[in-house]
Amino acid sequence: MTEHNAKIEAGWSFDNSYARLPEMFFTRQAPAPVRSPKLIMFNEPLAAALGLKAEALQSEEGEAVFAGNRIPEGALPLAQAYAGHQFGHLNMLGDGRALLLGEQITPQGERFDIQLKGSGRTPYSRGGDGRAAVGPMLREYIISEAMNGLGIPTTRSLAVTATGESIIREAMQPGAVLTRVAASHVRVGTFQYAAGRGSIEELRELADYTLQRHYPEIDGDGNRYLSFLQAVIKRQASLIAKWQLVGFIHGVMNTDNMAISGETIDYGPCAFMDAFDPATVFSSIDTHGRYAYGNQPRIAVWNLARFAETLLPLLHEDEEQSVVLAEEALSDFTGLFHEYWMAGMRAKLGIFNEESEDEALVKDLLDIMQQNGADFTNTFVALTFVRMEDSGLSCSKEFAEWRERWQARLERQEESKSASQQLMRDSNPAIIPRNHRVEEALAAAVNDGDYSVMQRLLAALANPYAHSPEQAEYAAPPESSNVPYRTFCGT
Ligand code: AMP
Ligand code: MG
Protein backbone atom coordinates (compact mmCIF):
# COMPACT_ATOMS: atom_id res chain seq x y z
CA MET A 1 0.00 0.00 0.00
CA THR A 2 1.43 3.38 -0.86
CA GLU A 3 1.70 6.03 1.81
CA HIS A 4 -0.80 8.14 -0.08
CA ASN A 5 -3.43 5.39 -0.02
CA ALA A 6 -2.85 4.79 3.67
CA LYS A 7 -3.65 8.43 4.39
CA ILE A 8 -6.82 8.41 2.35
CA GLU A 9 -7.96 5.22 4.01
CA ALA A 10 -7.50 6.69 7.47
CA GLY A 11 -10.47 8.92 6.74
CA TRP A 12 -8.96 12.30 7.56
CA SER A 13 -11.12 15.14 6.33
CA PHE A 14 -9.51 18.30 7.63
CA ASP A 15 -10.65 21.86 7.42
CA ASN A 16 -8.64 24.64 9.03
CA SER A 17 -11.07 27.40 9.89
CA TYR A 18 -9.02 28.50 12.92
CA ALA A 19 -6.05 29.14 10.66
CA ARG A 20 -8.20 31.62 8.73
CA LEU A 21 -8.54 33.87 11.80
CA PRO A 22 -6.22 36.89 12.04
CA GLU A 23 -2.57 35.95 12.45
CA MET A 24 -2.34 37.15 16.04
CA PHE A 25 -4.38 34.12 17.19
CA PHE A 26 -1.83 31.43 16.38
CA THR A 27 1.63 30.49 15.20
CA ARG A 28 2.12 27.82 12.58
CA GLN A 29 4.35 25.17 14.03
CA ALA A 30 5.20 21.59 13.13
CA PRO A 31 5.30 18.95 15.88
CA ALA A 32 8.77 17.86 17.02
CA PRO A 33 9.28 14.23 15.91
CA VAL A 34 9.85 11.62 18.58
CA ARG A 35 12.27 8.69 18.67
CA SER A 36 10.15 5.56 18.65
CA PRO A 37 6.39 6.10 18.77
CA LYS A 38 4.17 3.35 20.10
CA LEU A 39 0.38 3.59 20.10
CA ILE A 40 -0.64 2.57 23.60
CA MET A 41 -4.30 3.68 23.63
CA PHE A 42 -6.70 4.02 20.73
CA ASN A 43 -10.37 4.90 21.09
CA GLU A 44 -12.16 2.86 18.41
CA PRO A 45 -15.74 4.09 19.00
CA LEU A 46 -14.58 7.70 18.95
CA ALA A 47 -12.53 7.12 15.80
CA ALA A 48 -15.61 5.64 14.11
CA ALA A 49 -17.76 8.62 15.15
CA LEU A 50 -15.15 10.92 13.63
CA GLY A 51 -15.19 9.00 10.35
CA LEU A 52 -11.72 7.57 10.95
CA LYS A 53 -10.75 4.00 10.13
CA ALA A 54 -9.33 2.03 13.04
CA GLU A 55 -7.63 -0.51 10.71
CA ALA A 56 -5.70 2.25 9.00
CA LEU A 57 -4.74 4.01 12.22
CA GLN A 58 -3.85 1.12 14.52
CA SER A 59 -0.70 0.77 12.48
CA GLU A 60 2.60 2.45 11.74
CA GLU A 61 0.57 5.20 10.05
CA GLY A 62 -1.47 6.01 13.17
CA GLU A 63 1.59 5.74 15.38
CA ALA A 64 3.44 8.28 13.22
CA VAL A 65 0.48 10.67 13.00
CA PHE A 66 -0.46 10.54 16.70
CA ALA A 67 3.16 11.04 17.75
CA GLY A 68 3.53 14.09 15.54
CA ASN A 69 6.10 12.37 13.30
CA ARG A 70 3.89 12.59 10.21
CA ILE A 71 1.39 15.29 9.38
CA PRO A 72 -1.82 13.86 7.93
CA GLU A 73 -3.05 15.22 4.63
CA GLY A 74 -5.01 18.42 4.99
CA ALA A 75 -3.73 19.22 8.49
CA LEU A 76 -2.12 22.61 9.15
CA PRO A 77 -0.50 22.36 12.58
CA LEU A 78 -0.58 25.49 14.70
CA ALA A 79 -0.18 26.58 18.30
CA GLN A 80 -3.01 28.74 19.60
CA ALA A 81 -2.30 32.00 21.39
CA TYR A 82 -4.23 32.81 24.55
CA ALA A 83 -3.96 34.43 27.94
CA GLY A 84 -5.47 33.33 31.23
CA HIS A 85 -6.03 34.11 34.87
CA GLN A 86 -4.12 31.40 36.72
CA PHE A 87 -5.25 31.34 40.35
CA GLY A 88 -6.42 34.92 39.87
CA HIS A 89 -3.32 36.28 38.09
CA LEU A 90 -3.38 37.20 34.42
CA ASN A 91 -0.63 35.67 32.30
CA MET A 92 0.16 35.35 28.62
CA LEU A 93 0.00 31.64 27.89
CA GLY A 94 -0.78 29.89 24.61
CA ASP A 95 -0.30 26.26 23.56
CA GLY A 96 3.05 25.58 25.18
CA ARG A 97 2.98 21.88 24.48
CA ALA A 98 0.01 21.33 22.19
CA LEU A 99 -0.71 21.76 18.50
CA LEU A 100 -3.98 21.93 16.65
CA LEU A 101 -3.69 19.68 13.60
CA GLY A 102 -6.93 20.96 12.16
CA GLU A 103 -10.65 20.30 12.36
CA GLN A 104 -11.92 16.89 11.37
CA ILE A 105 -15.25 17.08 9.55
CA THR A 106 -17.24 13.98 10.46
CA PRO A 107 -19.47 12.07 8.03
CA GLN A 108 -22.38 13.88 9.74
CA GLY A 109 -20.77 17.22 8.94
CA GLU A 110 -19.75 18.02 12.52
CA ARG A 111 -16.46 19.79 13.18
CA PHE A 112 -13.97 18.68 15.85
CA ASP A 113 -10.52 19.97 16.73
CA ILE A 114 -7.83 17.31 16.57
CA GLN A 115 -5.06 18.38 18.92
CA LEU A 116 -1.76 16.79 19.86
CA LYS A 117 -0.84 17.43 23.49
CA GLY A 118 2.80 16.90 24.39
CA SER A 119 4.02 17.45 20.81
CA GLY A 120 7.05 19.61 21.58
CA ARG A 121 7.99 23.19 22.15
CA THR A 122 6.17 26.14 20.62
CA PRO A 123 6.71 29.91 20.79
CA TYR A 124 4.41 29.82 23.86
CA SER A 125 6.36 27.19 25.81
CA ARG A 126 8.03 29.71 28.13
CA GLY A 127 10.38 27.55 30.24
CA GLY A 128 8.60 24.26 29.51
CA ASP A 129 9.83 21.32 27.46
CA GLY A 130 6.63 21.03 25.41
CA ARG A 131 6.28 17.42 26.45
CA ALA A 132 3.90 15.30 28.52
CA ALA A 133 4.34 12.08 30.51
CA VAL A 134 2.58 8.77 29.88
CA GLY A 135 0.88 8.66 33.31
CA PRO A 136 -0.91 12.03 33.16
CA MET A 137 -1.93 11.52 29.51
CA LEU A 138 -3.45 8.13 30.35
CA ARG A 139 -5.13 9.80 33.31
CA GLU A 140 -6.68 12.45 31.05
CA TYR A 141 -7.80 9.62 28.75
CA ILE A 142 -9.55 7.81 31.62
CA ILE A 143 -11.21 10.83 33.21
CA SER A 144 -12.36 12.45 29.97
CA GLU A 145 -13.87 9.18 28.73
CA ALA A 146 -15.51 8.71 32.14
CA MET A 147 -17.02 12.19 31.88
CA ASN A 148 -18.33 11.35 28.44
CA GLY A 149 -19.88 8.16 29.83
CA LEU A 150 -21.52 10.22 32.56
CA GLY A 151 -23.14 12.38 29.87
CA ILE A 152 -21.11 15.47 30.71
CA PRO A 153 -19.88 17.67 27.85
CA THR A 154 -16.15 17.10 27.56
CA THR A 155 -13.16 16.96 25.28
CA ARG A 156 -12.42 13.36 24.32
CA SER A 157 -9.31 11.25 24.00
CA LEU A 158 -8.63 9.54 20.70
CA ALA A 159 -5.16 8.12 21.29
CA VAL A 160 -2.13 8.07 23.51
CA THR A 161 1.24 7.43 21.91
CA ALA A 162 4.34 6.71 23.94
CA THR A 163 7.28 8.58 22.48
CA GLY A 164 10.07 6.25 23.52
CA GLU A 165 11.79 9.27 25.05
CA SER A 166 12.24 10.21 28.69
CA ILE A 167 11.20 13.55 30.05
CA ILE A 168 12.41 15.21 33.19
CA ARG A 169 9.88 15.88 35.92
CA GLU A 170 10.58 15.22 39.62
CA ALA A 171 12.03 12.00 38.26
CA MET A 172 12.60 10.80 34.71
CA GLN A 173 9.33 9.67 33.17
CA PRO A 174 8.36 8.07 29.89
CA GLY A 175 6.97 10.64 27.44
CA ALA A 176 3.67 10.51 25.55
CA VAL A 177 1.47 12.48 23.21
CA LEU A 178 -2.29 12.59 23.76
CA THR A 179 -4.58 13.13 20.78
CA ARG A 180 -7.41 15.25 22.09
CA VAL A 181 -10.72 15.85 20.35
CA ALA A 182 -12.74 18.96 21.20
CA ALA A 183 -15.67 20.98 19.90
CA SER A 184 -12.96 23.65 19.84
CA HIS A 185 -10.17 24.91 22.03
CA VAL A 186 -11.40 28.51 22.13
CA ARG A 187 -11.30 29.53 25.79
CA VAL A 188 -12.16 32.48 27.96
CA GLY A 189 -8.41 33.10 27.78
CA THR A 190 -8.55 33.37 23.99
CA PHE A 191 -10.93 36.31 24.40
CA GLN A 192 -8.74 37.81 27.12
CA TYR A 193 -5.83 37.66 24.72
CA ALA A 194 -7.89 39.26 21.91
CA ALA A 195 -9.18 42.03 24.17
CA GLY A 196 -5.74 42.72 25.65
CA ARG A 197 -3.58 42.52 22.55
CA GLY A 198 -5.83 42.93 19.53
CA SER A 199 -7.89 45.59 17.81
CA ILE A 200 -11.67 45.74 18.10
CA GLU A 201 -11.87 44.22 14.62
CA GLU A 202 -9.75 41.24 15.70
CA LEU A 203 -11.86 40.79 18.82
CA ARG A 204 -15.00 40.95 16.69
CA GLU A 205 -13.61 38.35 14.29
CA LEU A 206 -12.94 35.97 17.18
CA ALA A 207 -16.41 36.59 18.61
CA ASP A 208 -18.11 36.06 15.23
CA TYR A 209 -16.08 32.93 14.62
CA THR A 210 -16.84 31.39 18.00
CA LEU A 211 -20.47 32.42 17.93
CA GLN A 212 -20.98 30.80 14.53
CA ARG A 213 -19.09 27.68 15.51
CA HIS A 214 -20.74 27.01 18.87
CA TYR A 215 -23.94 29.02 18.98
CA PRO A 216 -25.20 29.02 15.36
CA GLU A 217 -28.76 29.34 16.66
CA ILE A 218 -28.09 32.99 17.55
CA ASP A 219 -29.31 34.99 14.59
CA GLY A 220 -28.34 38.44 13.38
CA ASP A 221 -31.29 40.22 14.98
CA GLY A 222 -30.94 42.16 18.20
CA ASN A 223 -27.70 42.36 20.17
CA ARG A 224 -25.99 39.19 19.01
CA TYR A 225 -22.95 39.63 21.25
CA LEU A 226 -25.21 39.95 24.27
CA SER A 227 -27.06 36.80 23.16
CA PHE A 228 -23.65 35.14 22.81
CA LEU A 229 -22.63 36.12 26.35
CA GLN A 230 -25.97 34.90 27.72
CA ALA A 231 -25.68 31.61 25.87
CA VAL A 232 -22.13 30.99 27.13
CA ILE A 233 -23.26 31.74 30.69
CA LYS A 234 -26.17 29.34 30.34
CA ARG A 235 -24.01 26.53 29.02
CA GLN A 236 -21.47 26.98 31.82
CA ALA A 237 -24.25 26.96 34.42
CA SER A 238 -25.47 23.68 32.98
CA LEU A 239 -21.94 22.23 32.85
CA ILE A 240 -20.98 23.16 36.41
CA ALA A 241 -24.31 21.77 37.70
CA LYS A 242 -23.44 18.47 36.01
CA TRP A 243 -20.02 18.47 37.69
CA GLN A 244 -21.59 19.10 41.09
CA LEU A 245 -24.14 16.33 40.58
CA VAL A 246 -21.43 13.68 40.18
CA GLY A 247 -18.85 15.15 42.57
CA PHE A 248 -16.34 16.15 39.91
CA ILE A 249 -13.67 18.61 40.98
CA HIS A 250 -11.84 20.21 38.08
CA GLY A 251 -9.01 21.42 40.26
CA VAL A 252 -7.64 24.16 38.04
CA MET A 253 -10.49 26.35 36.85
CA ASN A 254 -8.23 29.03 35.44
CA THR A 255 -9.78 31.14 32.67
CA ASP A 256 -7.55 29.44 30.09
CA ASN A 257 -9.15 26.14 31.11
CA MET A 258 -12.76 27.23 30.50
CA ALA A 259 -13.92 26.42 26.98
CA ILE A 260 -16.44 28.69 25.28
CA SER A 261 -18.09 25.59 23.77
CA GLY A 262 -19.24 24.52 27.25
CA GLU A 263 -17.12 21.38 27.30
CA THR A 264 -15.02 20.33 30.27
CA ILE A 265 -11.40 20.85 29.24
CA ASP A 266 -7.90 20.28 30.61
CA TYR A 267 -7.76 17.34 32.94
CA GLY A 268 -4.85 18.14 35.19
CA PRO A 269 -5.31 17.81 38.92
CA CYS A 270 -9.01 16.93 38.65
CA ALA A 271 -10.56 14.15 40.73
CA PHE A 272 -13.89 12.84 41.99
CA MET A 273 -15.04 13.33 45.54
CA ASP A 274 -15.66 10.25 47.71
CA ALA A 275 -17.15 11.43 51.04
CA PHE A 276 -19.41 14.43 50.57
CA ASP A 277 -17.69 17.59 51.71
CA PRO A 278 -17.93 20.94 49.89
CA ALA A 279 -14.40 21.82 51.04
CA THR A 280 -12.91 18.88 49.13
CA VAL A 281 -9.80 19.81 47.22
CA PHE A 282 -7.25 17.43 45.73
CA SER A 283 -4.77 19.63 43.93
CA SER A 284 -1.47 19.99 45.75
CA ILE A 285 -0.99 23.56 44.48
CA ASP A 286 -4.48 24.75 45.44
CA THR A 287 -3.41 25.56 48.98
CA HIS A 288 -6.25 28.01 49.65
CA GLY A 289 -8.99 25.80 48.23
CA ARG A 290 -9.85 28.35 45.53
CA TYR A 291 -11.06 25.51 43.31
CA ALA A 292 -12.67 23.33 46.02
CA TYR A 293 -15.85 21.43 45.11
CA GLY A 294 -18.17 23.91 46.82
CA ASN A 295 -16.47 26.90 45.17
CA GLN A 296 -16.85 25.76 41.58
CA PRO A 297 -20.08 27.67 40.82
CA ARG A 298 -18.63 30.88 42.27
CA ILE A 299 -15.42 30.49 40.33
CA ALA A 300 -17.40 29.91 37.15
CA VAL A 301 -19.09 33.29 37.67
CA TRP A 302 -15.72 34.89 38.32
CA ASN A 303 -14.34 33.43 35.07
CA LEU A 304 -17.46 34.43 33.16
CA ALA A 305 -17.06 37.99 34.47
CA ARG A 306 -13.58 38.00 32.91
CA PHE A 307 -15.17 36.77 29.67
CA ALA A 308 -17.90 39.44 29.83
CA GLU A 309 -15.25 42.14 30.30
CA THR A 310 -13.61 41.16 27.04
CA LEU A 311 -16.92 41.60 25.20
CA LEU A 312 -17.65 45.10 26.56
CA PRO A 313 -16.56 46.92 23.37
CA LEU A 314 -18.99 44.78 21.37
CA LEU A 315 -22.00 44.89 23.68
CA HIS A 316 -22.87 48.58 23.31
CA GLU A 317 -21.23 51.69 21.92
CA ASP A 318 -21.66 53.35 25.30
CA GLU A 319 -19.31 51.76 27.82
CA GLU A 320 -21.58 52.29 30.81
CA GLN A 321 -24.43 50.62 28.96
CA SER A 322 -22.13 47.72 28.12
CA VAL A 323 -21.30 47.24 31.77
CA VAL A 324 -25.00 47.26 32.70
CA LEU A 325 -25.76 44.63 30.05
CA ALA A 326 -22.82 42.46 31.09
CA GLU A 327 -23.74 42.64 34.77
CA GLU A 328 -27.34 41.74 34.05
CA ALA A 329 -26.25 38.74 32.03
CA LEU A 330 -23.83 37.60 34.74
CA SER A 331 -26.48 37.91 37.42
CA ASP A 332 -28.46 35.20 35.60
CA PHE A 333 -25.83 32.57 36.37
CA THR A 334 -26.84 31.88 39.95
CA GLY A 335 -30.50 31.31 39.10
CA LEU A 336 -29.67 29.20 36.06
CA PHE A 337 -27.18 27.10 37.97
CA HIS A 338 -29.66 26.60 40.77
CA GLU A 339 -32.37 25.49 38.33
CA TYR A 340 -30.08 22.96 36.63
CA TRP A 341 -28.74 21.71 39.92
CA MET A 342 -32.17 21.31 41.52
CA ALA A 343 -33.50 19.56 38.41
CA GLY A 344 -30.56 17.16 38.64
CA MET A 345 -31.01 16.63 42.38
CA ARG A 346 -34.72 15.93 41.98
CA ALA A 347 -33.87 13.31 39.36
CA LYS A 348 -31.24 11.77 41.66
CA LEU A 349 -33.99 11.42 44.26
CA GLY A 350 -36.58 10.07 41.81
CA ILE A 351 -38.72 13.20 41.97
CA PHE A 352 -40.59 14.25 38.83
CA ASN A 353 -42.54 17.36 39.81
CA GLU A 354 -41.59 20.43 41.81
CA GLU A 355 -42.51 21.31 45.37
CA SER A 356 -41.20 24.25 47.33
CA GLU A 357 -39.81 22.04 50.13
CA ASP A 358 -37.63 20.05 47.71
CA GLU A 359 -34.73 22.35 48.29
CA ALA A 360 -34.79 21.74 52.05
CA LEU A 361 -35.11 18.01 51.42
CA VAL A 362 -31.96 18.05 49.29
CA LYS A 363 -30.05 20.31 51.62
CA ASP A 364 -30.89 18.20 54.67
CA LEU A 365 -29.70 15.05 52.96
CA LEU A 366 -26.41 16.69 52.00
CA ASP A 367 -25.97 17.96 55.56
CA ILE A 368 -26.48 14.46 56.95
CA MET A 369 -24.03 13.06 54.41
CA GLN A 370 -21.44 15.67 55.31
CA GLN A 371 -21.82 15.17 59.06
CA ASN A 372 -21.42 11.41 58.67
CA GLY A 373 -18.72 11.45 55.99
CA ALA A 374 -21.02 9.47 53.70
CA ASP A 375 -19.86 8.60 50.22
CA PHE A 376 -21.55 10.90 47.70
CA THR A 377 -21.94 8.38 44.87
CA ASN A 378 -22.81 5.37 47.00
CA THR A 379 -25.45 7.16 49.07
CA PHE A 380 -27.50 7.90 45.96
CA VAL A 381 -27.01 4.35 44.67
CA ALA A 382 -28.10 3.02 48.06
CA LEU A 383 -31.27 5.15 47.91
CA THR A 384 -31.92 3.95 44.35
CA PHE A 385 -31.75 0.26 45.23
CA VAL A 386 -32.99 0.55 48.81
CA ARG A 387 -29.73 -0.86 50.14
CA MET A 388 -29.24 1.45 53.07
CA GLU A 389 -26.36 -0.60 54.47
CA ASP A 390 -24.31 0.60 51.45
CA SER A 391 -24.81 4.24 52.32
CA GLY A 392 -22.80 4.26 55.51
CA LEU A 393 -25.79 6.02 57.04
CA SER A 394 -27.85 3.07 58.19
CA CYS A 395 -27.15 3.85 61.86
CA SER A 396 -28.10 7.50 61.59
CA LYS A 397 -31.41 8.38 63.21
CA GLU A 398 -31.51 11.63 61.25
CA PHE A 399 -31.11 9.73 58.03
CA ALA A 400 -33.97 7.36 58.96
CA GLU A 401 -36.17 10.40 59.58
CA TRP A 402 -35.04 12.00 56.37
CA ARG A 403 -35.95 8.82 54.46
CA GLU A 404 -39.47 8.93 55.83
CA ARG A 405 -39.84 12.51 54.61
CA TRP A 406 -38.46 11.49 51.23
CA GLN A 407 -40.80 8.47 50.98
CA ALA A 408 -43.76 10.70 51.78
CA ARG A 409 -42.55 13.12 49.10
CA LEU A 410 -42.43 10.30 46.52
CA GLU A 411 -45.93 9.25 47.44
CA ARG A 412 -47.25 12.75 46.74
CA GLN A 413 -46.31 12.49 43.05
CA GLU A 414 -48.37 10.71 40.42
CA GLU A 415 -45.56 8.61 38.97
CA SER A 416 -45.20 5.02 40.12
CA LYS A 417 -42.47 3.73 42.41
CA SER A 418 -40.90 1.89 39.50
CA ALA A 419 -40.84 5.01 37.31
CA SER A 420 -39.19 6.81 40.17
CA GLN A 421 -36.60 4.08 40.57
CA GLN A 422 -35.88 4.10 36.84
CA LEU A 423 -35.27 7.85 36.98
CA MET A 424 -32.85 7.30 39.86
CA ARG A 425 -31.02 4.52 38.01
CA ASP A 426 -30.57 6.84 35.05
CA SER A 427 -29.41 9.75 37.22
CA ASN A 428 -27.12 8.09 39.76
CA PRO A 429 -23.94 6.55 38.38
CA ALA A 430 -22.96 3.13 39.70
CA ILE A 431 -19.34 4.04 39.12
CA ILE A 432 -17.09 7.05 39.06
CA PRO A 433 -13.35 6.94 38.34
CA ARG A 434 -12.29 6.71 41.96
CA ASN A 435 -8.80 7.95 42.61
CA HIS A 436 -7.43 4.68 44.00
CA ARG A 437 -8.79 2.70 41.03
CA VAL A 438 -7.40 5.20 38.54
CA GLU A 439 -4.01 5.06 40.29
CA GLU A 440 -4.08 1.28 40.23
CA ALA A 441 -4.79 1.27 36.47
CA LEU A 442 -2.06 3.82 35.81
CA ALA A 443 0.49 1.94 37.93
CA ALA A 444 -0.15 -1.29 36.01
CA ALA A 445 0.16 0.51 32.66
CA VAL A 446 3.16 2.72 33.41
CA ASN A 447 5.19 0.38 35.63
CA ASP A 448 4.34 -3.00 34.15
CA GLY A 449 3.12 -2.22 30.63
CA ASP A 450 -0.11 -3.98 31.60
CA TYR A 451 -3.05 -2.12 30.05
CA SER A 452 -5.69 -4.69 30.99
CA VAL A 453 -6.48 -3.03 34.34
CA MET A 454 -7.11 0.26 32.57
CA GLN A 455 -9.14 -1.39 29.80
CA ARG A 456 -11.41 -3.06 32.37
CA LEU A 457 -11.86 0.22 34.21
CA LEU A 458 -12.66 2.05 30.95
CA ALA A 459 -15.21 -0.60 29.99
CA ALA A 460 -16.97 -0.21 33.35
CA LEU A 461 -16.90 3.59 33.05
CA ALA A 462 -18.31 3.65 29.51
CA ASN A 463 -21.89 3.35 30.74
CA PRO A 464 -22.00 4.26 34.42
CA TYR A 465 -25.79 4.06 34.52
CA ALA A 466 -25.86 0.36 33.56
CA HIS A 467 -25.60 -0.77 37.20
CA SER A 468 -24.07 -4.02 35.95
CA PRO A 469 -22.46 -6.67 38.17
CA GLU A 470 -19.00 -5.80 36.76
CA GLN A 471 -19.41 -2.27 38.08
CA ALA A 472 -20.08 -3.36 41.64
CA GLU A 473 -16.39 -4.03 42.37
CA TYR A 474 -15.60 -0.38 41.58
CA ALA A 475 -18.08 0.98 44.11
CA ALA A 476 -15.88 0.66 47.18
CA PRO A 477 -14.44 3.95 48.43
CA PRO A 478 -10.72 3.97 49.26
CA GLU A 479 -9.59 2.43 52.54
CA SER A 480 -9.60 5.28 55.00
CA SER A 481 -6.12 6.60 55.38
CA ASN A 482 -4.42 9.45 57.15
CA VAL A 483 -2.77 10.50 53.94
CA PRO A 484 -5.26 12.45 51.80
CA TYR A 485 -5.22 11.86 48.07
CA ARG A 486 -3.25 14.53 46.25
CA THR A 487 -3.20 15.41 42.57
CA PHE A 488 -0.37 17.24 40.87
CA CYS A 489 -0.16 19.80 38.13
CA GLY A 490 3.25 18.61 37.01
CA THR A 491 1.54 16.91 34.13
P1 AMP B 1 -2.34 23.84 32.09
O1 AMP B 1 -2.12 24.04 33.54
O2 AMP B 1 -2.11 22.43 31.61
O3 AMP B 1 -3.63 24.39 31.62
O4 AMP B 1 -1.18 24.68 31.35
C1 AMP B 1 -0.99 26.05 31.55
C2 AMP B 1 -0.03 26.60 30.54
O5 AMP B 1 1.25 26.00 30.67
C3 AMP B 1 -0.44 26.36 29.08
O6 AMP B 1 -0.06 27.49 28.35
C4 AMP B 1 0.35 25.16 28.71
O7 AMP B 1 0.56 25.07 27.32
C5 AMP B 1 1.65 25.41 29.45
N1 AMP B 1 2.41 24.17 29.72
C6 AMP B 1 2.10 23.18 30.58
N2 AMP B 1 3.02 22.20 30.56
C7 AMP B 1 3.97 22.58 29.67
C8 AMP B 1 5.19 22.01 29.20
N3 AMP B 1 5.63 20.83 29.64
N4 AMP B 1 5.90 22.69 28.27
C9 AMP B 1 5.47 23.87 27.82
N5 AMP B 1 4.34 24.47 28.22
C10 AMP B 1 3.58 23.84 29.13
MG1 MG C 1 -4.74 24.63 30.11
Side-chain angles (χ1 to χ4, degrees), residues 82 86 92-98 117 120-122 124-132 167 169 187 252 254 256-257 266-269 489 491:
Y82 52 86
Q86 299 181 296
M92 174 62 204
L93 300 166
D95 288 334
R97 58 163 171 178
K117 182 170 173 180
R121 288 180 55 80
T122 78
Y124 313 110
S125 295
R126 298 172 290 163
D129 61 0
R131 290 299 184 191
I167 61 170
R169 293 293 181 262
R187 317 134 193 272
V252 60
N254 295 334
D256 53 303
N257 294 336
D266 253 0
Y267 294 90
C489 256
T491 52

Side-chain angles (χ1 to χ4, degrees), residues 12 43 46-47 49-50 52 66 100 102-104 106 111-117 140 144-145 153-159 178-185 213 261 263-265 267:
W12 293 113
N43 192 332
L46 177 59
L50 290 167
L52 298 173
F66 295 131
L100 176 65
E103 301 131 31
Q104 169 75 1
T106 71
R111 177 182 298 267
F112 288 99
D113 276 10
I114 308 291
Q115 192 205 57
L116 301 181
K117 182 170 173 180
E140 169 152 353
S144 63
E145 289 307 299
T154 177
T155 63
R156 304 280 308 270
S157 299
L158 178 61
L178 171 76
T179 305
R180 179 156 81 172
V181 178
S184 88
H185 288 82
R213 188 160 169 189
S261 68
E263 285 182 344
T264 312
I265 190 170
Y267 294 90

Side-chain angles (χ1 to χ4, degrees), residues 391-409:
S391 68
L393 292 169
S394 47
C395 301
S396 160
K397 190 166 144 281
E398 280 163 325
F399 182 58
E401 283 164 10
W402 180 89
R403 276 188 65 214
E404 278 176 30
R405 257 167 80 202
W406 172 57
Q407 287 301 323
R409 172 66 182 88

Side-chain angles (χ1 to χ4, degrees), residues 298-346:
R298 250 186 309 243
I299 289 293
V301 184
W302 193 89
N303 288 349
L304 288 165
R306 305 291 79 76
F307 175 57
E309 281 163 8
T310 71
L311 293 182
L312 290 178
L314 304 178
L315 289 178
H316 200 282
E317 54 206 27
D318 178 74
E319 203 188 316
E320 272 178 39
Q321 281 300 309
S322 293
V323 172
V324 171
L325 292 172
E327 281 178 350
E328 263 174 28
L330 286 165
S331 69
D332 287 346
F333 180 94
T334 308
L336 284 166
F337 169 78
H338 189 72
E339 249 172 65
Y340 288 124
W341 184 76
M342 271 308 295
M345 274 296 176
R346 283 195 179 92

